[in-house]
């Protein structure tokens, strides 16, 4: 009897470990096929595509590759669902020079593609007139503007607020309102000088050369925190946060154009 129960449990473990995963918005993740590019190593591939880079032996086993030395340019690899990173968002518009880094800034930068999936710790850089629109699952749209450096952090827990980081430049965001309404933040933007937390709103975050930030609220409410102080921005208001200091009292701004999809 015990052997029968143990066997049943083992079967269930095997089945569930190979079931499709789900993205943050409930869409089923599928296996992906990648082609090894010149200069790519097994370590780099694992950093870019695996939820845990240390599981690279499982990637080799799944592709029936007996030796890591066989990972060479032109080789196709299937990344199974149970090894994949969670998908936080996808690019919906790309213009000009925009680059992507899937290893938290450690590996090489490559051109960002339209429709490219984004995972935790993926980074994006725009230069010149480059900009891109990113759809963040269960959040809304983020437009990364010219000469900016951005990172997707993801959610600390399932269903929790999604966090992104702005290291340089500026971005616009259009966050959908929660249904039913909630006081919990669903989206956080962290910069070197402040954190902006929102529930559902349109707003802009801009960093100057000294990495001080200006946060402007075009619709809804934005909570801006720095150095232990939080100010609430309502529609038509903004605040300035000098790096290392608290946010100034909110002030009125001219009416801004509404954020529209490209």
């Amino acid at each position: 009897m015990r052997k029968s129960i143990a066997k049943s449990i083992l079967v269930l473990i095997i089945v569930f470990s190979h079931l499709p995963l789900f993205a943050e918005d409930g869409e089923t993740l599928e296996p992906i096929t990648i082609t090894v590019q010149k200069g790519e190593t097994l370590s780099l591939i694992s950093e870019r595509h695996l939820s845990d880079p240390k599981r690279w032996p499982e990637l080799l086993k799944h592709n029936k590759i007996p030796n890591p030395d066989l990972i060479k340019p032109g080789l196709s690899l299937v990344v199974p669902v149970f090894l994949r990173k969670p998908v936080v968002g996808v690019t919906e518009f790309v213009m000009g020079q925009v680059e992507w880094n899937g290893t938290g800034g450690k590996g090489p930068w490559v051109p960002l593609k339209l429709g490219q999936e984004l995972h935790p710790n993926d980074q994006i850089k725009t230069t010149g007139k480059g900009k891109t629109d990113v759809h963040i699952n269960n959040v809304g749209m983020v437009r990364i503007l010219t000469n900016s450096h951005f990172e997707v952090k993801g959610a600390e827990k399932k269903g929790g607020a999604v966090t992104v980081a702005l290291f340089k430049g500026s971005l616009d965001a259009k966050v959908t309102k929660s249904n039913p309404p909630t006081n919990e933040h669903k989206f956080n933007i962290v910069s070197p000088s402040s954190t902006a937390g929102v529930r559902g709103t349109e707003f802009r975050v801009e960093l100057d050369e000294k990495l001080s930030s200006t946060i402007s609220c075009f619709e809804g409410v934005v909570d801006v925190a720095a150095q232990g102080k939080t100010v609430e921005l309502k529609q038509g208001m903004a605040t300035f946060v000098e790096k290392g200091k608290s946010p100034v009292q909110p002030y009125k701004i001219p009416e801004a154009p509404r954020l529209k999809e490209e």
Side-chain angles (χ1 to χ4, degrees), residues 43-178:
S43 175
L44 179 61
I45 292 169
S46 299
E47 284 275 358
R48 281 182 175 174
H49 299 287
L50 305 189
S51 58
D52 181 355
K54 295 179 182 178
R55 298 181 68 180
W56 61 264
E58 296 177 62
L59 178 65
L60 294 184
K61 183 178 179 181
H62 184 81
N63 286 273
K64 299 180 181 179
I65 298 175
N67 190 333
D69 294 335
L70 297 177
I71 302 297
K72 296 181 179 181
L75 178 70
S76 292
L77 292 172
V78 175
V79 183
V81 170
F82 64 90
L83 291 179
R84 286 193 60 190
K85 285 183 177 181
V87 177
V88 180
V90 64
T91 57
E92 295 187 329
F93 169 81
V94 181
M95 184 183 78
Q97 188 170 349
V98 186
E99 294 181 302
W100 166 81
N101 185 298
T103 56
K106 294 181 290 185
W109 291 81
V110 298
L112 179 70
K113 298 177 181 179
L114 182 65
Q116 183 166 319
E117 293 178 343
L118 298 175
H119 314 95
N121 303 125
D122 282 11
Q123 295 189 6
I124 293 174
K125 280 184 179 180
T126 61
T127 54
K129 296 182 179 180
K131 62 180 179 179
T132 182
D133 287 354
V134 175
H135 171 75
I136 304 293
N137 297 338
N138 288 331
V139 171
M141 192 262 283
V142 176
R143 176 168 297 159
I144 306 164
L145 301 172
T146 58
N147 298 311
S148 299
H149 185 186
F150 169 91
E151 180 176 275
V152 176
K153 296 291 188 182
E156 290 186 2
K157 61 181 181 179
K158 185 176 178 60
V162 176
T163 298
V164 300
L166 182 66
F167 303 124
K168 173 188 174 183
S170 56
L171 60 79
D172 287 339
K174 185 175 183 179
V175 179
T176 55
K177 295 178 181 178
S178 299

Side-chain angles (χ1 to χ4, degrees), residues 194-216:
S194 64
T195 297
V198 301
R199 295 177 289 276
T201 185
E202 292 186 31
F203 66 106
R204 173 175 293 169
V205 179
E206 303 170 273
L207 297 178
D208 62 20
E209 293 181 355
K210 296 181 179 179
L211 301 181
S212 297
S213 54
T214 299
I215 300 90
S216 306

